[in-house]
Amino acid sequence: MECISIFDMLKIGVGPSSSHTLGPWRAARRWIAELKENNHFESVNSITVDLFGSLSLTGKGHATDIAVLLGLCGYDPQTIDVSSISEIIDTITRSKQLKFNNEIFVSFDPASHIIFNRDFKEFHPNGMTFHAILTNDKTIASSFYSIGGGFVVKEERKRKKKKLTEFKEFPMPIQKATDLLQYCQAQNKKVSDIVLENERSLRNDKEIDERIGQIWTVMLESMYTGCHTEGTLPGGLNVRRRAYDTHKKLIGSVTYSTPTDWIEAIRDTEVKFRQILKWVSCFALAVNEVNASLGRVVTAPTNGSAGVIPAVMMYYMVIENHDANFEDVKQFMLVAGEIGSLFKKGATISAAMGGCQAEIGVSSAMAAGALTELMGGTPEQVLMASEIAMEHHLGLTCDPIAGLVQVPCIERNAMGAIKAINACEMALDTDAANAKVPLDKVIETMWETAQDMNTKYKETSEGGLAVKVSLSDC
């Protein structure tokens, strides 16, 4: 069985898209490693990059060209100073050369050396090919595919089996939700307990805690930044940042100085049903406004859906349990990561393959299951909550206006977070043993729906809102 760590599902990166930004960025870095392994790196004289299918059709709006440049320059999406990105790109554009892996200068004009091809490669809609012209005039090429959530693969499927055998197999391998439930029932343990035992086969407790801590820190900072940043998002749609205004109305005159103090400040505000809805929406909007402006977020499981999980975790901390601490965050992330991996194994987390159901739908299912366990739900109720959340996202299309991860993407995070909380409450009030629709069946249905969905609704901006509303309308 394929072993997917929660840290594969929750990755720190730069917006606006895990498949169109983070994936190509990581592919460029993998290509550099490949060139070095084959002793070609030092001989590279110039580079061209071909983008195919969805990467081409919505590449500009998703900053794919920028991500490729940053990857070729050797920058790490987890650590790059995001405020320096514009200057880096401007320098390359003016000089028509880049410092390859921050080691050697090579000829590169973004206007002509990044080629947007509208045709699709058969293997996956998000294809790209890197070409290097060596000093001896020989050209070598390598293709990669960004399959969602920042995952990057080569086409050679035969390598997949070989690669999997090199990984240490989980003590409790899980392919489907039924596998997970069987372990929980047999050992009388929570979902998070089973997931933690599997993670311990890959790394020690200290590293697990450190990495979850880093993930939560980025999530919290992206919410904080989004709530405290005013103005208009880049890209030409003139979308005003709404989290700032909503937050200002909700927080009132309470003072604080750090994100941690901010949590306490929110806890002290008046909380009614309407305010709860506004706070959850505010948290989700904040993250995805940061994402839309090339800020740092956590793929959960993608960048386009990065706001759902932190918004629901924050809801638990400031509304449901004022004593919530790191252990609650850890438990939440373990469950969320595992639920996401079930969709990755059984369907897809790529909007270019499955539409927005593969992004917001999956993130909502992840958050619903995780919240349910924190609220005292049984493993059966955890899976039921995830099923409910996805069931009501089935068929959701991906039709970003102008190819930007803004409209309708940002609002959908708020809707996905609210649905996750609602799904949790429904599951907690239900005898999950009598669930009519198992989670595995919903995952299968989602994949079948993805295969039936027309390509123009799969992150190509060739259908839906993307053709009804244009930049000129804004």
Side-chain angles (χ1 to χ4, degrees):
M1 293 186 184
E2 188 174 1
C3 300
I4 298 178
S5 165
I6 65 162
F7 301 112
D8 292 322
M9 303 306 302
L10 304 169
K11 295 188 284 286
I12 298 170
V14 174
S17 169
S18 51
S19 60
H20 286 54
T21 312
L22 183 58
W25 192 326
R26 299 179 80 187
R29 287 167 59 85
R30 276 187 58 178
W31 183 53
I32 290 170
E34 189 178 285
L35 289 170
K36 285 179 174 284
E37 184 180 345
N38 295 322
N39 297 316
H40 291 311
F41 179 80
E42 297 292 341
S43 302
V44 174
N45 187 53
S46 67
I47 299 165
T48 58
V49 183
D50 279 285
L51 303 175
F52 295 94
S54 181
L55 288 185
S56 172
L57 292 168
T58 58
K60 284 286 187 181
H62 286 54
T64 304
D65 49 347
I66 292 174
V68 166
L69 291 175
L70 295 171
L72 292 175
C73 290
Y75 290 102
D76 186 339
Q78 293 194 67
T79 59
I80 187 174
D81 177 3
V82 293
S83 66
S84 69
I85 291 177
S86 293
E87 183 180 347
I88 294 168
I89 301 304
D90 288 344
T91 299
I92 295 170
T93 303
R94 285 196 312 268
S95 65
K96 293 183 173 48
Q97 64 176 3
L98 59 79
K99 199 171 185 182
F100 197 26
N101 200 40
N102 202 30
E103 294 181 51
I104 57 175
F105 283 100
V106 300
S107 172
F108 197 95
D109 181 359
S112 57
H113 289 184
I114 298 180
I115 303 159
F116 292 84
N117 301 276
R118 296 180 64 85
D119 52 312
F120 286 73
K121 281 182 170 286
E122 186 176 343
F123 182 75
H124 192 278
N126 292 334
M128 72 202 92
T129 302
F130 295 91
H131 306 266
I133 301 175
L134 307 182
T135 51
N136 62 3
D137 291 332
K138 179 181 177 182
T139 300
I140 55 175
S142 188
S143 294
F144 297 86
Y145 299 86
S146 180
I147 62 173
F151 286 88
V152 176
V153 299
K154 304 272 289 185
E155 188 168 349
E156 297 86 345
R157 278 295 192 188
K158 62 184 179 182
R159 294 183 60 194
K160 185 178 179 183
K161 290 183 180 179
K162 177 179 181 293
K163 229 179 160 185
L164 289 177
T165 60
E166 294 171 358
F167 284 113
K168 185 175 181 180
E169 187 172 299
F170 283 158
M172 290 173 281
I174 297 165
Q175 191 69 21
K176 294 187 175 183
T178 48
D179 300 325
L180 176 60
L181 186 57
Q182 285 172 4
Y183 289 123
C184 291
Q185 293 172 338
Q187 300 184 36
N188 193 29
K189 290 184 176 180
K190 296 180 290 190
V191 170
S192 59
D193 294 328
I194 301 299
V195 181
L196 181 58
E197 284 303 309
N198 279 340
E199 288 296 329
R200 283 172 172 160
S201 70
L202 301 177
R203 48 188 64 86
N204 60 41
D205 282 344
K206 181 181 179 182
E207 185 180 356
I208 292 171
D209 287 355
E210 286 178 348
R211 294 183 70 168
I212 290 177
Q214 291 165 357
I215 286 166
W216 175 241
T217 296
V218 172
M219 286 183 172
L220 180 57
E221 287 177 348
S222 62
M223 285 185 282
Y224 187 87
T225 299
C227 284
H228 295 82
T229 305
E230 195 175 8
T232 302
L233 293 173
L237 280 179
N238 298 314
V239 174
R240 177 171 172 79
R241 292 175 181 264
R242 283 187 286 179
Y244 177 89
D245 294 327
T246 300
H247 176 264
K248 190 174 181 180
K249 292 175 184 176
L250 289 168
I251 200 67
S253 59
V254 179
T255 59
Y256 49 88
S257 57
T258 68
T260 303
D261 293 339
W262 180 53
I263 291 175
E264 293 300 328
I266 296 169
R267 287 170 174 166
D268 291 339
T269 60
E270 182 182 19
V271 178
K272 298 178 181 177
F273 177 71
R274 191 178 183 201
Q275 277 72 27
I276 292 173
L277 290 177
K278 285 180 175 259
W279 270 120
V280 174
S281 295
C282 182
F283 299 144
L285 294 173
V287 174
N288 282 82
E289 287 173 356
V290 170
N291 179 65
S293 54
L294 274 76
R296 181 165 285 112
V297 296
V298 176
T299 65
T302 68
N303 281 31
S305 61
V308 176
I309 285 175
V312 175
M313 182 66 235
M314 193 71 158
Y315 159 81
Y316 179 77
M317 297 185 80
V318 301
I319 305 297
E320 292 290 349
N321 181 8
H322 286 195
D323 295 322
N325 55 29
F326 174 75
E327 288 304 314
D328 296 290
V329 173
K330 179 179 178 179
Q331 188 177 346
F332 188 95
M333 298 305 167
L334 287 168
V335 177
E338 185 62 34
I339 297 297
S341 76
L342 294 176
F343 283 93
K344 174 73 171 62
K345 294 167 187 171
T348 181
I349 57 171
S350 167
M353 287 290 285
C356 199
Q357 61 174 352
E359 297 205 20
I360 296 296
V362 174
S363 65
S364 186
M366 292 166 69
L371 179 62
T372 300
E373 182 170 296
L374 285 186
M375 297 287 286
T378 65
E380 291 85 356
Q381 289 173 321
V382 167
L383 299 183
M384 184 180 192
S386 298
E387 176 275 315
I388 292 171
M390 172 51 77
E391 183 180 333
H392 300 289
H393 281 94
L394 287 174
L396 187 61
T397 60
C398 179
D399 52 353
I401 296 173
L404 295 164
V405 192
Q406 296 182 18
V407 182
C409 320
I410 295 175
E411 287 180 353
R412 283 183 179 171
N413 279 264
M415 301 302 292
I418 296 296
K419 282 186 181 182
I421 296 168
N422 199 12
C424 165
E425 293 298 336
M426 288 184 184
L428 290 172
D429 287 341
T430 305
D431 178 3
N434 296 321
K436 301 298 182 184
V437 184
L439 177 57
D440 286 330
K441 293 297 182 183
V442 166
I443 294 174
E444 290 174 16
T445 303
M446 178 201 151
W447 180 231
E448 291 171 0
T449 304
Q451 292 173 302
D452 289 340
M453 190 180 290
N454 192 297
T455 301
K456 66 184 182 180
Y457 299 117
K458 296 181 181 181
E459 208 166 5
T460 59
S461 289
E462 294 186 321
L465 288 175
V467 298
K468 294 297 181 184
V469 182
S470 65
L471 277 174
S472 59
D473 297 321
C474 300

